[in-house]
Amino acid sequence: MALLKVYNLSVFWLLCMILVASNFCNGGITNSFVRKEYSLDMPLDSDVFQVPPGYNAPQQVHITQGDTDGRGVIISWITPDEPGSNTVIYWSENSKHKNRAEGIFVRYKFFNYTSGYIHHCTIKKLEYNTKYIYEIGIGNTTRQFRFMTPPRAGPDVPYTFGLIGDLGQTHDSNVTLTRYESNPKKGQTVLFLGDLSYSNDYPFHDNSRWDTWGRFIERNAAFQPWIWTVGNHELDFAPELEETTPFKPYTHRYYVPYASSDSTSPLWYSIKRASAYIIVLSSYSAYGKSTPQYKWLRDELPKVDRSETPWLIVLMHCPIYNSNAHHYMEGETMRVVFESWFVKYKVDAVFAGHVHSYERSKRISNIAYNIVNGKCTPVNDQSAPVYITIGDGGNHDGPAIGMVEPQPNFSAYREASFGHGIFDIKNRTHAYFSWHRNQDGYAIEADSFWFHNRYWNPFGKSFVASY
């Protein structure tokens, strides 16, 4: 009998140890869905890269928000042969009066490549929640597009964002964009998480691959704003080619409204859109104490009025929580610098790319760690954001399949598949996030999560549904 008691006690303590270990070491779900390892580029004669007909016709048309509040839009396009017209003709759908706006054009050279004429035109003081039609080009090469302005900012304004990162120009990239366009939730604006064309992966940083990528995304980016985040593949720092100006192609091609948020660089800025306040950071610019990016974010976060824009979202390229062997711990320095601010100001979500897979964290923080106290294990923290990595757009490197084992406790769901995300704001207290893998039907959600707003509903219990 005594031996049996000792045995039962030993089993009891063994089970306790297993439970304790699982609490610290084992996270949520790692989906074992099987996907192919590599992705092939689409042929250059693919329809998605088609040049518009007519001499010097505008191409690579894309739009982004043009001011802080959402009443402005930046319309960008390229004419390949000569400057052509800088004029944008635009009018609201219910008006016969046509307006004119004049833009500028820029060019750049990169090694043996010379760009076309890159046009940017900012239109301001548009009406909220209004459909506009715009035209660019001359004569028989005039092209017409449309876009919808957001509603006026307000705490209970519903709005739906799409999330795409690390897209590239492969067959899987095309599936990702098609799946996003066909999603019945109908995203109204894309939050793009960095790594656009991957031109630097081609010989001599082949900048013609910026042109093919611009034509590829035009089918969506000409009709709804894409909010740009810079990634490592936009650096284009190539001393061996005597190219030493970082981000040169990106900053010439993709204008953003950084000055309206008092930023000194187009690589970090903020916008308001409907009920969301979106802060864009640069993982590949200096962000240590007293740097321009550090000072800007320090001054920017207190400006957020959660009674007007309750949803506070941060975009960056390199994730600061990641349980994949690919790019493991690369975001640690940014975590050390900024995580305490994310917790203090109750950021709702931090979206990142870079790692070519999908992962969603629990609400955790590691702000107690000071490198000497040993408190290096993230803890549950209901004031902390949810960290979501969506670097799974379809680039030619293929999905990042090297997951760290065992799955860390901070990780709620992870999967090395291509796909896109949807962040659907319902009101000031609730938003619904879903992740859609490319291999599934349009409406299927591989992972989903109800967000309870950290400011208006800080103690709401989050509901998770994974399939």
Side-chain angles (χ1 to χ4, degrees):
M1 181 66 70
L3 184 62
L4 183 60
K5 287 182 179 179
V6 170
Y7 173 77
N8 288 337
L9 187 62
S10 299
V11 171
F12 171 77
W13 282 113
L14 178 61
L15 290 173
C16 288
M17 290 172 66
I18 291 172
L19 288 171
V20 170
S22 66
N23 185 51
F24 284 99
C25 298
N26 295 334
I29 297 171
T30 299
N31 200 318
S32 58
F33 184 86
V34 177
R35 77 291 298 160
K36 59 186 179 181
E37 193 167 348
Y38 298 105
S39 187
L40 298 176
D41 281 335
M42 292 179 283
L44 290 175
D45 60 356
S46 298
D47 289 346
V48 297
F49 298 144
Q50 186 175 8
V51 177
Y55 172 74
N56 206 43
Q59 59 172 270
Q60 305 174 55
V61 184
H62 57 271
I63 65 174
T64 193
Q65 187 157 315
D67 62 1
T68 298
D69 298 324
R71 291 187 63 191
V73 64
I74 300 173
I75 299 173
S76 303
W77 71 96
I78 291 179
T79 49
D81 303 305
E82 59 180 85
S85 172
N86 287 327
T87 303
V88 175
I89 307 295
Y90 66 98
W91 63 97
S92 66
E93 185 180 44
N94 298 321
S95 173
K96 295 181 180 180
H97 176 71
K98 295 186 176 182
N99 306 283
R100 300 170 62 92
E102 294 297 323
I104 62 167
F105 73 81
V106 295
R107 302 187 81 187
Y108 73 92
K109 293 183 178 181
F110 191 98
F111 187 51
N112 59 358
Y113 170 90
T114 301
S115 75
Y117 299 84
I118 307 169
H119 300 257
H120 302 286
C121 182
T122 301
I123 301 174
K124 300 179 179 180
K125 298 182 180 180
L126 299 170
E127 296 297 321
Y128 287 115
N129 206 30
T130 301
K131 182 180 288 186
Y132 283 89
I133 300 163
Y134 68 98
E135 290 181 349
I136 53 177
I138 301 172
N140 61 1
T141 63
T142 298
R143 302 186 67 198
Q144 187 178 103
F145 305 91
R146 64 189 181 279
F147 63 87
M148 187 81 178
T149 54
R152 184 187 299 273
D156 292 305
V157 177
Y159 202 78
T160 305
F161 294 98
L163 291 128
I164 299 174
D166 300 68
L167 188 57
Q169 40 197 310
T170 69
H171 291 284
D172 286 297
S173 312
N174 193 32
V175 174
T176 296
L177 191 52
T178 300
R179 285 288 191 270
Y180 168 67
E181 292 170 320
S182 304
N183 194 312
K185 292 186 183 299
K186 298 300 178 188
Q188 297 162 276
T189 292
V190 170
L191 305 180
F192 194 86
L193 303 171
D195 283 1
L196 288 69
S197 71
Y198 285 79
S199 71
N200 70 316
D201 277 354
Y202 298 90
F204 307 110
H205 290 232
D206 183 2
N207 269 232
S208 68
R209 280 297 187 168
W210 278 105
D211 296 315
T212 54
W213 195 79
R215 292 196 291 271
F216 162 51
I217 67 161
E218 181 190 87
R219 72 191 202 215
N220 186 271
F223 297 92
Q224 63 175 243
W226 285 37
I227 308 304
W228 301 108
T229 309
V230 71
N232 57 300
H233 282 274
E234 282 71 72
L235 268 165
D236 278 305
F237 181 76
E240 71 280 9
L241 304 178
E242 298 185 352
E243 291 293 345
T244 57
T245 303
F247 305 109
K248 185 199 286 187
Y250 171 81
T251 53
H252 278 78
R253 292 171 180 269
Y254 293 94
Y255 275 24
V256 297
Y258 69 95
S260 64
S261 58
D262 297 323
S263 170
T264 56
S265 169
L267 305 180
W268 57 86
Y269 62 100
S270 69
I271 61 167
K272 293 187 291 186
R273 197 162 186 90
S275 48
Y277 201 104
I278 298 163
I279 291 177
V280 179
L281 298 177
S282 174
S283 299
Y284 303 96
S285 304
Y287 48 76
K289 191 172 182 179
S290 299
T291 62
Q293 185 170 199
Y294 177 97
K295 291 179 178 178
W296 176 81
L297 184 59
R298 178 198 63 195
D299 297 339
E300 181 69 14
L301 284 167
K303 295 179 183 177
V304 182
D305 181 359
R306 304 295 282 270
S307 65
E308 180 190 39
T309 49
W311 293 95
L312 180 52
I313 298 168
V314 173
L315 311 182
M316 61 178 65
H317 184 63
C318 184
I320 65 177
Y321 282 100
N322 164 39
S323 70
N324 199 298
H326 293 259
H327 307 301
Y328 185 64
M329 294 290 284
E330 284 185 18
E332 177 64 6
T333 52
M334 184 172 269
R335 185 199 66 76
V336 170
V337 176
F338 290 150
E339 184 184 23
S340 62
W341 292 354
F342 295 164
V343 173
K344 176 181 179 181
Y345 291 100
K346 292 182 169 54
V347 171
D348 291 289
V350 176
F351 294 106
H354 197 43
V355 180
H356 300 159
S357 64
Y358 168 73
E359 184 166 18
R360 173 174 54 81
S361 81
K362 301 172 185 177
R363 290 197 183 276
I364 42 85
S365 72
N366 199 13
I367 56 178
Y369 182 43
N370 66 4
I371 207 168
V372 297
N373 63 10
K375 298 179 180 180
C376 56
T377 302
V379 298
N380 292 329
D381 187 340
Q382 290 306 302
S383 292
V386 173
Y387 295 89
I388 297 180
T389 300
I390 309 181
D392 53 0
N395 64 86
H396 53 216
D397 291 332
I401 58 177
M403 302 290 189
V404 173
E405 297 293 348
Q407 185 173 1
N409 190 46
F410 68 76
S411 177
Y413 185 99
R414 59 185 187 172
E415 181 177 326
S417 297
F418 290 135
H420 72 275
I422 295 287
F423 190 73
D424 187 12
I425 297 173
K426 305 296 186 181
N427 50 40
R428 76 182 69 191
T429 60
H430 291 79
Y432 186 73
F433 172 80
S434 55
W435 175 69
H436 306 257
R437 74 166 72 89
N438 283 356
Q439 289 86 348
D440 294 336
Y442 299 134
I444 294 176
E445 300 170 353
D447 181 45
S448 61
F449 180 82
W450 273 105
F451 275 82
H452 292 255
N453 186 271
R454 292 300 88 191
Y455 181 86
W456 286 99
N457 191 16
F459 302 109
K461 293 183 180 180
S462 299
F463 175 76
V464 181
S466 299
Y467 304 95

